Structure formats: structure tokens, C-alpha cells
Amino acid sequence: MKIGARVLCSLLLAAPGALAQANLTDLSVALYAANPEAPAPPANWEVYRLVREKLGINLRFTMLPTGADGDNRLGALAAANDLPDLFEVRSLALFDRLVQQGQLAPVNSLLPQMPKRTAERYSDARRNLLVTTNGQIYGLQEPVTLSRQYAIWVRKDWLDKLGLKAPTTLEEFFEVARAFTERDPDGNGRNDTFGFGGVIDFDTAGILPGLGLGNHFQWVYGAYGVAGTWNYNPKAFAANLRDPNFRRATEYIRRLVEAKVIDPDWATMRRADLRTRWQQGRYGMFFESVGGLQAGLQNFHANNPGAELLMLPPPKGPEGKSAMGTYSSAGWLYAVSKRAMDAGKGPAIARFLEWAHSGEGYFLLGWGRYKTDYTLPNNVPTINTQIPISVRGSYTQMRWLAFNGNPLEMRGRYPEINVGGRKYVMHQLMAQAQRQGNWIDRTGDLVVKAAANQADIERYVSENLVQFALGQRPISDASWGQFLSGLRNVRFEQYEEAAAKTLRESGYLK
Amino acid sequence: MRKRSLSPGDRLFEWSIDLFLVGVLVVTLVPLWYVVMVSFLPFGKSPSLFLAPWDWSFEAYAQLIFQPTIWRAALNSLVLTLGGVAISLTLTVMAAYPLSRRELPGRNLIVGLILFTFLFNAGLIPTFLVVKDLGLLNTYWSVLLNGAVSVYNLLVMKTFFQSLPESLEEAARIDGANDWQVLWHVVLPLSRPILLTIGLFYGVANWNNFFEPILFLSDRSLMPLPVVLRDILTGLNVAEYVEGTAAQAAPAEALKMAAVVLITLPMLLVYPWIQRYFTKGVLIGSVKE
């Protein structure tokens, strides 16, 4: 009898919980790790509890493997009709494929259900065109918040020591680079410094590398007015590489390489190697982001006492043109699986995203645990750096869903840093890099679908330009003509025609 | 034993062979030496083949070893490796032994079907679908069972079993042993070289397994060492928008090479214990008399 009463009591006590459980919507969310060094959030993460109690959502968060492995995993999940309800896509080719396969749901109906988020993130009709097919918006295309944070940095202490001025033109850049290479600016008596450090890098958030040598050399092409892949000239639309100035820019890079003022490993190094080397003090000038600079300042000043860095505006070319590069205004991209929408999970997804956009959700996802991972002096989120990112980062693995680039956020993420007797106000440097870089908006590039042989096209152009720059092939009328005529072999004309048609249809080329 | 006196020509020939082998040794060792040296590289020094002892820095190792995720990942790798070797060896022996017996009906057909899978792979998506339909996604079983039997290893082991004298088996059968008893008491005790060799093959493959865990596992706490090390190194490249401590504490080159050393070391430590069986096992298994 006693046992029976106990069972009855426990059933009665459990009933409201069971009912609440029944009303919960299961929501699987898969994102790329925001903090690769840190593990996933723990099972007792406050966010899981709050989302369950306040939004009626049983959240299940998984992290996608980085890079192409993440694409492979999403592709496999799609084939198994097992895509997460809400997930991040970093490859536009994969996104297009999922749309074609009918795996994604249009998100038009979600937008009015999350009014604040939509107003601030998804209301740009031009940007939404990037993810629109047959009039339906298939992705939640975020605006970019950290684009255009790249610049050429110069060692001001070396300039002063050698009695030089910061270069403003390509010719001055060449002379300064030569002096940094040949006149022992670090005074160690060894010939171990280089004028410029950059690498072939196509994979940088928010920057469009164009065809050829990647982001770190776009400023040279910008100085000749041919930065980016396309010229966007409505009367004579073509790839920039057909422009005679494209050859002149490549010849300039060849001059830098020939004069040995660029680190000779530039063609094979990775971005991480470049970072190590500028921190070691091997370069007088180098291409780096504000975020990358922030991460390396401590080491840089420890290795180079008395050093001072200055941000250079992009050097001007012979006709006075300059641009640090091209960029897209499109940031992270999220998609909703058709399966989730068919199961009626749309309202729950909108509820969760709206919650993540501001207030409690924004701070919990973006900054972690209040008074543990961060504090809010003067309303500026300030990270507690006493807790290592490998621990703190677990609680902000979903931060990209929350971050929106507001001024206070930028001040929190890019604070004032005092190191080596120098003061760096990182958010101001970020704004300066965006302002003075003369960046060219080429968001339209993203509506151009990749050619079936895109990898062949990119390889052909890149390999040829590397050969020209390294001097493995002399740059002459004959060899350049041969390079241009060889474009036919990779069906480049068709790619150009398709790009022109798509850009005109989408309104990016008028 | 007196050493046979060699003519000057023979001596020259032997010296050239020695010289050649020393050259091969150097060519093999230099990259490994470079990896080890660079893993101790401090900030401010360029990678080189020789690092002064007072320049050595253990920071790259410290950064990797003291990551909170690394020990859990090492445990996962150990489970996947030991479990994988046990499962794979058991299944391979149980398939290779019957296939090595001539009296097995349809033996050639079965071997042919197995060979077919060696030549034609099912592909990523069908494999994923099978794993999913078996309900194995996000469990160790998805990694342990998928590709548990390597056709190459199976054929090597089958050939080894075929090379064992049939008379031993016949003697056991006369004493009343059944198939299981023959396998357990006669065949396996004689097969230590091949078991250790194939076990090492499976062990190395499981220890290095990278693709299957990221495909089949979604829970980060189940990920093995190669995946976690790769994630840490990923942070080196994305400092634009990702915060990381490892890249700020040690040079990128040192971190990469330290990761290579850490992932290679356990297998290098096991290898000498198995080495003496290694050549014997593979060679015996590869020749059918």
C-alpha cells in the first residue's frame, strides 16, 4: 500500500513536468565552432535551461568540423535526409546544391516572426538576392561585421632609424622595402630582414580575393585599378586579368620578388607562418588584419623592444589609384532544413534567433557567463582574460548567432591594449582600416555561380601568375599572350559570359 | 669464424653499398629530425635543423598538452585504437581462417566477392546511410565497425594460414579437436607474427583515423586526438575573428610540429616491441607456396 501511494504521489508530482516536456519543440542547431580551442558547451549550460523554460525549445547544439570536412558532413547528412533544423553553411556551392536538391526551406515566412533581427540583419534586399532562388529566400544571410579589417603595417621605428618616410606610392613602397631588406634596420649585423611579408591567401572572412595571387597582393592590383575578379564595367564587362594594367601589376610584384625584398617563402607559406614571422620582427611591412595584429602584439613587443607599428593606406599606383582590395557585405549564412519546416519548427527557430539577437540571449551566447567570463563596465562587455579561452570559449561557441557588430560590441572585442610601452585602440584601428583602405564593394561576385570547372580556372590563373612573379616564366608580350589565350582551354569565356548575365539579371551590373 | 678476405673491387662495392645506405638513412632521418627540432622552436628564432640547447622551448607542447580537451581526446583515441584492434583482428581471423581451408564450399566465390569490395568502394553517402540506418551515428561503433576488416590484411592473413603445415591440423583432429579448438589451440599460437603485424596495421590506422570520426560523430566529447589537435591548429589561421591562446604562446611552426610528434609518438613507442615479428609476418603472409 505504502509503495503504491508513493508511486501515485511521484506520478502526480511528475505530471506538470511531463506536460511541459510534451510542449517542448526539439531544435537541432549545428554551427562551426566559434572557439576551436574550446570544447562544446557542457550539458548544464544555462542557455539550454533558459531556452527550454522561456522559449519552449529543447535545444540540441552540435559543432561542425572546420573547413571542407564540415561541407562533407553536411552533404552526408543531407543525403541521409538528416540535416539539422538550423545550421550554418560556409560554402556557397554547397548551399546552392542543397537548394537544388530541395533540402532547404524558404525562410520568407520566418522573417516577420523575428522583427528586430530581420530589421537589423536581413532587410537588405540586394544582399538577400545572394540566397534567393525563384523568388524564395533560402538562407538567413547575415551582414558582415569584420570585413575590411586588413592593412599593410609598417615598422615606424625602422623608418625613423633609416630616416625614411612612410611610403604612399608603389615606387616609394619599393624603395622602403629595399631599404628594410638591405640596410639592416634591426641593427643585429645580419642580413635577416625583409621589406614585405605576405602569402598567397584566398580564404579570409569577408574579403574577396579575386583570381590570381590572393588577398595579400590585391593592393598592388588596386593601385592599377584592377582589384578583384571582374571590372564591373557595364559597357565592356570582362575579367580584370584581361586588362593591360593587370599585367603591369603582376610585373610590379615580379620586381619586388626579383629585388628579394619579399620573404622568399611567400609562395609556399601559410597565414600562420606569416604571423609567426612578423611577430619575430623579420618584416618591415606586412599584410595583416586588425584581429590578427591584436592576437600577436604581445609576442611582437616581447621580441622587438621599442618597436612601433603604423597602418599604411594602400599605396597609390601610377595614375593615383589605390585600393586595399575588394570585399563582400555578406557575412555568415544560416539555413533551415525543409524537414524542420515541414515538422512545424519554423516558429521555434524564429523565436530562438530573435532571442539570440539582443538582450539576455545576445549576452549569454555572445559573451558567456556574466561576472565570470565577462563584466559590463560602462556597458562595454569586457572579457575576463584570467579565464583561458579554452575554458571560457565553451560558453560562447554559438556567438556568431548573437554578434551584430554594434559599437559597444566592437569596443569589447577590440579593446585598448597597452603593450611594449605603446597604446593600441583596436576598435579605432579597425575603423581606420575600413575607412582608409578604399575597399571596393564586390558583393555581386557572390551571385556569380562557380563554373563547373572552377577549380581548374583558379588553378590555371594562380599557377601562371606565381610562375610570372617568381620569374619561372619571363613576362613578355609572347608569354602574357600565351597565358591569356590559354584561358580558352579552361573555358574562361563561358565563365565570363555567365558572370555578366547573372550580374545583369541580379542588378549588380547596370 | 674467419672473415673471408675481399678483393679491392668487392671491398669498394661493399663500401658503396654502406655509403648508399647511410645516404638513405640520412634522407629518411633529416625530415624527422627537423620536425622534432622545430617543435622546440621558441619565438624569435627561425626554424632550422639545429637548435642550441639553451634555445629550446617546451611551450608548444605545453600549449597542446594542457588544453582541457586533449586528455579526453587521447582517451577516446586509446579506446578507438584498442577496441578497433580487438574487433578488427577477431573479425579478420574469423574470416581468414575458414577462407584458408580448401574444403570450404564456395570459397573462391566468397574471396571474389570480398575482392570486389577492395576494387569498388561503396562511397561516402551509401556508407553514411548504412551507419545511420543501423542507429550507429554518434557512437564509437560507427567508427569501430565501419571498415573493421581490411581486405588487404584479410588476404595477407589468409595466405599465412594457408602456409601452416596441414599435418599439424590433421594431428589435432585425430586427437578429437573441432574447428574452434584447432583455430584456438593450434593455428593462433603459431600465428603470433602475423597477428602482431596485422594488429599493428590496424592499430596505426585506428590511431590516425580522422575522417570517420568527423563524419559519424557529432558529439565533441567523443572526438579522437587527430581531430582535436586539428581544431586547435585551426585557430592559428583565423585570428581575425577567433580568439586563441596557443598561437599567442608558441610559434605556428612549433605548434604544428609538436602536434605531429604527439600524434606519432605512441605508435613509435609500440613499434620496437613488434618490429621483430614485423618483417617475418608480412613476408610469410605474402608468399604462397
Side-chain angles (χ1 to χ4, degrees):
Chain A
M1 183 63 199
K2 268 184 185 175
I3 293 171
R6 237 181 251 171
V7 170
L8 192 65
C9 282
S10 52
L11 280 174
L12 286 170
L13 285 171
L19 279 175
Q21 199 73 21
N23 289 331
L24 287 175
T25 304
D26 287 326
L27 189 66
S28 58
V29 179
L31 308 174
Y32 289 87
N35 303 299
E37 276 186 27
N44 63 356
W45 191 24
E46 196 184 358
V47 166
Y48 289 138
R49 183 182 60 80
L50 283 173
V51 165
R52 193 164 49 241
E53 290 174 1
K54 294 190 174 179
L55 306 178
I57 291 171
N58 189 21
L59 180 65
R60 195 173 149 259
F61 170 53
T62 53
M63 295 196 287
L64 293 167
T66 48
D69 298 321
D71 295 349
N72 283 332
R73 182 164 171 79
L74 284 175
L77 288 169
N81 195 25
D82 202 22
L83 278 172
D85 300 326
L86 171 70
F87 58 98
E88 186 180 349
V89 192
R90 291 205 177 165
S91 155
L92 278 178
L94 174 69
F95 176 79
D96 288 338
R97 204 168 69 231
L98 294 178
V99 172
Q100 298 309 323
Q101 290 171 353
Q103 296 275 357
L104 302 187
V107 294
N108 305 53
S109 62
L110 298 187
L111 299 180
Q113 296 179 54
M114 40 184 185
K116 275 191 201 164
R117 191 177 181 101
T118 299
E120 290 183 28
R121 302 181 189 233
Y122 311 129
S123 55
D124 184 326
R126 292 288 288 291
R127 198 165 48 242
N128 282 343
L129 277 178
L130 302 176
V131 287
T132 299
T133 303
N134 299 328
Q136 297 286 338
I137 303 172
Y138 279 91
L140 298 164
Q141 177 64 70
E142 302 271 325
V144 77
T145 56
L146 297 178
S147 182
R148 298 172 289 149
Q149 58 162 305
Y150 293 81
I152 300 169
W153 303 85
V154 62
R155 287 285 297 267
K156 186 171 180 303
D157 52 318
W158 288 10
L159 285 173
D160 294 344
K161 189 178 175 189
L162 300 180
L164 300 166
K165 283 183 183 168
T168 57
T169 65
L170 288 182
E171 284 315 307
E172 288 173 12
F173 185 95
F174 185 85
E175 290 309 322
V176 169
R178 186 147 64 183
F180 283 162
T181 309
E182 296 171 358
R183 291 171 57 190
D184 192 19
D186 59 356
N188 67 358
R190 289 202 300 268
N191 185 20
D192 59 354
T193 54
F194 295 101
F196 179 68
V199 295
I200 298 177
D201 186 355
F202 291 93
D203 181 26
T204 317
I207 305 291
L208 295 169
L211 289 171
L213 297 177
N215 303 310
H216 294 212
F217 295 93
Q218 277 293 299
W219 54 273
V220 180
Y221 292 92
Y224 284 92
V226 286
T229 305
W230 313 108
N231 66 11
Y232 279 70
N233 179 347
K235 289 178 184 162
F237 177 84
N240 272 324
L241 55 82
R242 296 194 188 279
D243 192 312
N245 277 324
F246 197 86
R247 173 180 162 181
R248 291 187 192 109
T250 310
E251 282 169 340
Y252 177 82
I253 295 169
R254 171 66 196 137
R255 266 179 74 200
L256 294 175
V257 175
E258 197 170 21
K260 297 183 179 165
V261 300
I262 293 189
D263 186 332
D265 296 337
W266 68 275
T268 49
M269 273 194 316
R270 303 286 303 273
R271 204 187 315 164
D273 304 315
L274 175 79
R275 289 192 163 138
T276 297
R277 293 186 187 189
W278 73 252
Q279 290 168 25
Q280 289 170 345
R282 292 168 69 176
Y283 304 138
M285 294 179 280
F286 55 91
F287 191 86
E288 180 57 285
S289 62
V290 175
L293 191 84
Q294 179 174 326
L297 279 175
Q298 202 76 39
N299 287 321
F300 173 71
H301 282 287
N303 291 325
N304 306 277
E308 187 176 359
L309 289 171
L310 195 69
M311 188 194 293
L312 277 187
K316 292 190 177 82
E319 294 169 19
K321 291 178 180 167
S322 73
M324 198 57 83
T326 54
Y327 76 100
S328 132
S329 67
W332 308 120
L333 173 60
Y334 305 106
V336 174
S337 66
K338 184 171 181 300
R339 204 171 62 121
M341 207 65 104
D342 290 347
K345 294 184 180 182
I349 291 170
R351 255 192 337 265
F352 175 63
L353 288 175
E354 187 75 338
W355 178 78
H357 174 72
S358 58
E360 176 190 62
Y362 167 83
F363 280 103
L364 273 168
L365 295 183
W367 299 96
R369 299 162 297 176
Y370 182 52
K371 289 187 177 171
T372 304
D373 300 324
Y374 77 102
T375 49
L376 277 171
N378 302 319
N379 289 329
V380 177
T382 304
I383 291 167
N384 178 5
T385 49
Q386 299 298 312
I387 301 177
I389 184 66
S390 51
V391 176
R392 186 166 32 92
S394 284
Y395 300 91
T396 53
Q397 291 289 21
M398 297 177 93
R399 65 182 348 188
W400 305 130
L401 273 184
F403 278 168
N404 52 38
N406 69 67
L408 290 175
E409 176 185 303
M410 297 307 276
R411 287 182 68 174
R413 292 183 65 195
Y414 298 98
E416 181 180 313
I417 294 175
N418 290 290
V419 59
R422 311 277 177 202
K423 185 172 89 171
Y424 296 86
V425 187
M426 302 313 298
H427 57 275
Q428 286 178 3
L429 288 172
M430 182 77 79
Q432 188 185 340
Q434 294 178 347
R435 197 175 52 244
Q436 74 175 29
N438 297 337
W439 293 91
I440 304 164
D441 187 348
R442 287 284 186 260
T443 307
D445 281 16
L446 299 181
V447 297
V448 178
K449 302 289 179 228
N453 63 334
Q454 187 69 24
D456 294 336
I457 291 173
E458 288 172 5
R459 196 180 310 114
Y460 176 79
V461 177
S462 187
E463 279 177 5
N464 275 280
L465 291 186
V466 169
Q467 286 172 1
F468 285 130
L470 287 174
Q472 291 169 349
R473 281 175 76 186
I475 307 180
S476 64
D477 288 349
S479 63
W480 194 261
Q482 202 178 16
F483 159 60
L484 292 180
S485 61
L487 289 169
R488 269 198 296 274
N489 299 333
V490 287
R491 300 196 298 282
F492 196 77
E493 284 88 349
Q494 288 94 316
Y495 178 46
E496 255 174 336
E497 282 165 20
K501 185 168 176 280
T502 315
L503 285 168
R504 283 208 173 86
E505 284 172 358
S506 60
Y508 277 101
L509 185 65
K510 288 177 179 166
Chain B
M1 193 175 80
R2 277 181 63 194
K3 194 175 177 185
R4 183 169 58 92
S5 63
L6 295 172
S7 69
D10 287 346
R11 217 171 284 150
L12 185 69
F13 180 68
E14 290 210 343
W15 282 349
S16 354
I17 290 175
D18 287 349
L19 203 65
F20 174 74
L21 289 176
V22 168
V24 170
L25 184 70
V26 169
V27 168
T28 315
L29 277 184
V30 165
L32 288 175
W33 176 255
Y34 181 78
V35 166
V36 175
M37 281 294 107
V38 175
S39 71
F40 292 108
L41 191 74
F43 264 116
K45 295 279 172 193
S46 307
S48 72
L49 273 177
F50 299 101
L51 205 57
W54 52 87
D55 278 340
W56 283 36
S57 163
F58 293 86
E59 194 56 46
Y61 288 96
Q63 282 302 319
L64 296 177
I65 288 170
F66 293 120
Q67 292 284 338
T69 46
I70 210 93
W71 292 105
R72 171 73 209 213
L75 182 69
N76 293 342
S77 277
L78 200 66
V79 170
L80 287 174
T81 303
L82 295 179
V85 168
I87 290 171
S88 297
L89 264 188
T90 307
L91 292 176
T92 307
V93 166
M94 288 175 69
Y97 177 64
L99 289 172
S100 69
R101 303 297 92 185
R102 282 187 206 138
E103 60 272 22
L104 180 74
R107 185 171 79 128
N108 289 339
L109 177 69
I110 297 170
V111 171
L113 289 173
I114 289 173
L115 264 177
F116 183 84
T117 67
F118 187 54
L119 299 171
F120 302 98
N121 193 292
L124 177 72
I125 305 296
T127 307
F128 187 87
L129 290 175
V130 170
V131 171
K132 180 189 172 236
D133 289 346
L134 290 173
L136 301 179
L137 280 183
N138 207 26
T139 66
Y140 280 149
W141 294 111
S142 61
V143 180
L144 290 170
L145 295 180
N146 184 51
V149 178
S150 146
V151 175
Y152 173 81
N153 291 344
L154 171 64
L155 294 180
V156 169
M157 196 175 275
K158 170 182 157 292
T159 315
F160 180 91
F161 289 152
Q162 279 171 343
S163 70
L164 295 175
E166 281 185 27
S167 47
L168 283 174
E169 195 179 323
E170 283 164 10
R173 287 192 190 284
I174 289 166
D175 288 342
N178 61 25
D179 285 333
W180 288 103
Q181 286 166 324
V182 170
L183 176 65
W184 190 252
H185 295 292
V186 179
V187 175
L188 290 185
L190 291 169
S191 308
R192 191 189 278 189
I194 198 74
L195 291 176
L196 286 169
T197 306
I198 299 293
L200 184 68
F201 284 166
Y202 279 129
V204 171
N206 282 303
W207 180 258
N208 291 337
N209 199 352
F210 174 81
F211 189 65
E212 284 163 5
I214 59 170
L215 190 64
F216 298 133
L217 304 177
S218 52
D219 186 344
R220 295 269 283 197
S221 63
L222 296 178
M223 291 295 181
L225 206 49
V227 178
V228 170
L229 281 175
R230 203 279 298 254
D231 282 344
I232 294 168
L233 295 181
T234 300
L236 301 179
N237 254 334
V238 287
E240 285 83 357
Y241 52 92
V242 163
E243 207 184 335
T245 45
Q248 293 179 44
E253 292 103 326
L255 284 166
K256 281 187 269 186
M257 297 309 175
V260 170
V261 171
L262 284 178
I263 203 79
T264 316
L265 205 59
M267 285 299 124
L268 276 180
L269 291 176
V270 170
Y271 186 76
W273 302 100
I274 301 179
Q275 191 189 14
R276 63 198 171 110
Y277 298 104
F278 200 76
T279 322
K280 201 177 167 191
V282 178
L283 281 183
I284 290 176
S286 62
V287 179
K288 184 182 172 185
E289 290 176 22

